[in-house]
Amino acid sequence: MAIAKRIVSDASLLMAHTYVTLLEVVFGFAIGVLMGVPLALFIFYSKAFERAIYPILVGLQTVPKISLAPILVLYLGYGWAPKIVLAFLISFFPIVISTVVGLQSLDKNLVNLVRSMGANEWQTFFKLRLPAALPNIFGGFKVAVSLAVIGAVIGEYVAAERGLGYLQLQANSQFDTTLNFATVVTISALGVVLYYIIDMIESRVSYKRDAGK
């Protein structure tokens, strides 16, 4: 109850810092999509490229992002860049993997059928592969946007003057437990809202498979 009251009383403060974190998340996630989806296409269509790039992707994913934050701050400074890069790095991998899995999930016999009817690769991709892969792709987007929130907040923990991570550190330093929890709730709410925005977009552009029960 005290946390809810603090959220209401400090709504303007929380919203100001939420706006900063939101921008970092959106830019990091957008870069992840713009780079991750084309990379997934290269992986899908080139086995040699897949064998070359997958070990690098897995290696980057296993590096703790908190250990990269100080290095990014050292090279990129205290501005927006380190937080956006962290949001990108932490969201990039699930976007790539989910897109590749989605493209690979299409039945090969169905592909052979449309090709036998005269469809070229572009037609096969846009009429068959991409629509079939969209549920997987959007599943990756939902995971990625949630992780992007974590990446941005981690960056704010290390070096920031604004943002929800910075606000939480300030609350910790002042032993303001109520504000600390209010910030945590706001971070969680931000992740939930972004998740459902992606879900809403998916419902408009993709069909949903019936779950087997």
Side-chain angles (χ1 to χ4, degrees), residues 68-79 82-83 86 155 158-160:
L68 291 177
I71 300 173
L72 291 174
V73 170
L74 180 64
Y75 284 97
L76 300 177
Y78 278 74
K83 277 77 80 174
L86 274 174
V158 175

Side-chain angles (χ1 to χ4, degrees), residues 50-74:
E50 176 185 355
R51 288 192 293 269
I53 202 68
Y54 254 137
I56 298 174
L57 289 176
V58 174
L60 286 174
Q61 181 64 18
T62 55
V63 175
K65 301 305 179 288
I66 188 66
S67 66
L68 291 177
I71 300 173
L72 291 174
V73 170
L74 180 64

Side-chain angles (χ1 to χ4, degrees), residues 95-213:
I95 292 172
V96 174
I97 297 302
S98 63
T99 303
V100 172
V101 171
L103 293 171
Q104 292 174 340
S105 65
L106 186 61
D107 188 349
K108 189 175 181 180
N109 292 326
L110 189 57
V111 176
N112 292 334
L113 175 63
V114 297
R115 284 178 175 172
S116 69
M117 298 171 66
N120 57 36
E121 185 54 41
W122 282 104
Q123 292 171 324
T124 301
F125 177 80
F126 285 107
K127 297 293 185 180
L128 196 62
R129 288 195 193 278
L130 183 59
L134 282 177
N136 291 87
I137 294 173
F138 274 98
F141 286 175
K142 291 173 186 176
V143 174
V145 77
S146 302
L147 292 176
V149 175
I150 298 173
V153 172
I154 288 174
E156 291 169 353
Y157 285 159
V158 175
E161 296 179 353
R162 294 177 296 172
L164 291 173
Y166 168 79
L167 183 61
Q168 188 181 13
L169 288 181
Q170 291 296 105
N172 278 332
S173 66
Q174 297 168 9
F175 301 100
D176 192 341
T177 306
T178 309
L179 180 59
N180 194 340
F181 277 104
T183 307
V184 171
V185 171
T186 306
I187 293 170
S188 299
L190 176 61
V192 171
V193 169
L194 291 173
Y195 176 94
Y196 280 106
I197 289 174
I198 299 295
D199 185 68
M200 183 178 65
I201 296 172
E202 178 187 10
S203 68
R204 293 180 179 274
V205 302
S206 171
Y207 69 93
K208 290 191 175 182
R209 300 165 182 162
D210 292 330
K213 294 183 180 179

